[in-house]
């Protein structure tokens, strides 16, 4: 996974970057360099690869499609006493909106709103880059937002939490997985692939 490192222009010319992990001062890898690592601690500095931009854009668009559909489709169905109930993520957030509104707000934000905002910000930055156009206004702010939102977008933790909850209630009712569960599972994998393909240094360099 690529990371942002601090860049310093020295008086003599070469650009130095600080390793995000150990603060070692290193000369900036040349543009187009493939994966480079810090010689001191081994952390990955850049993962620039041909076609990486296409990969990140594809995963960003996939995120938007999967999230938009996943919110409304049935997530689980629960059958107890002969009654079958379907629930989507949106139903769950609305249903928890009474006493448990902080939980509903947190789930709505971290599972839906933040990942969608992050995908939109990435699209704002990367689409002009792919089309070889100049960056859109506030592209740097949008990219910074996308980086800062990443730790707060918790699709994968949500999926794991749901699996644990379903195992716990499986003794009380017959639980089935709906289409949205598989969409969210796919989304967790897509977000992982996006992280692997996104080289922050090369994006910052192109936004400079
Ligand atoms: Zn290092």
């Amino acid at each position: 996974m690529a990371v942002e490192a601090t860049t310093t222009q020295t008086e003599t010319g070469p650009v130095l970057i600080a390793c995000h992990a150990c603060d070692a001062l290193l000369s900036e890898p040349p543009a187009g360099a493939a994966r480079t690592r810090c010689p001191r601690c081994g952390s990955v500095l850049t993962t620039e690869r041909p076609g990486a931009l296409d990969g990140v854009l594809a995963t960003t668009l996939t995120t938007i499609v999967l999230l938009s559909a996943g919110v409304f489709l049935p997530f689980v169905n629960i059958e107890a006493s002969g009654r079958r109930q379907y629930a989507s993520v949106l139903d769950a957030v609305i249903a928890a909106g009474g006493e448990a509104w902080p939980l509903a707000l947190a789930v709505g934000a971290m599972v839906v709103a933040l990942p969608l905002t992050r995908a939109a910000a990435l699209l704002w930055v990367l689409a002009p880059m792919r089309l070889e156009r100049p960056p859109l206004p506030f592209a740097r702010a949008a990219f910074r937002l996308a980086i800062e939102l990443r730790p707060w977008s918790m699709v994968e933790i949500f999926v794991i939490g749901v699996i644990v909850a379903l195992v716990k209630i499986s003794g009380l009712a017959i639980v089935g997985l709906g289409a949205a569960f598989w969409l969210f599972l796919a989304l967790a994998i897509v977000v992982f692939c996006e992280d692997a393909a996104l080289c922050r240094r090369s994006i910052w360099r192109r936004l400079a």
Side-chain angles (χ1 to χ4, degrees), residues 19-24 26 38-43 45:
C19 169
H20 64 284
C22 72
D23 283 338
L26 311 159
C38 170
R40 189 203 272 174
C41 71
S43 299
L45 298 172

Side-chain angles (χ1 to χ4, degrees), residues 159-170:
V159 170
I160 293 168
V162 166
I163 293 171
V164 172
L166 291 182
V167 169
K168 288 202 168 227
I169 62 167
S170 59

Side-chain angles (χ1 to χ4, degrees), residues 49-61 126 130 197:
R49 286 189 301 270
L53 190 58
D54 287 348
V56 178
L57 263 177
T59 53
T60 303
L61 288 170
L126 301 180
R130 178 65 185 82

Side-chain angles (χ1 to χ4, degrees), residues 23-111:
D23 283 338
L25 274 182
L26 311 159
S27 12
E28 185 176 39
R35 176 175 288 234
T36 52
R37 287 179 181 275
C38 170
R40 189 203 272 174
C41 71
S43 299
V44 175
L45 298 172
T46 60
T47 53
E48 205 166 337
R49 286 189 301 270
L53 190 58
D54 287 348
V56 178
L57 263 177
T59 53
T60 303
L61 288 170
T62 310
T63 299
I64 294 173
V65 172
L66 290 179
L67 260 179
S68 308
V71 170
F72 299 105
L73 290 172
F75 195 90
V76 289
N77 58 75
I78 297 171
E79 193 175 336
S81 315
R83 289 184 58 194
R84 180 176 283 242
Q85 188 91 32
Y86 293 88
S88 68
V89 172
L90 195 64
D91 294 333
V93 169
I94 293 169
E99 287 181 4
W101 67 266
L103 180 67
L105 196 68
V107 169
M110 290 177 181
V111 178

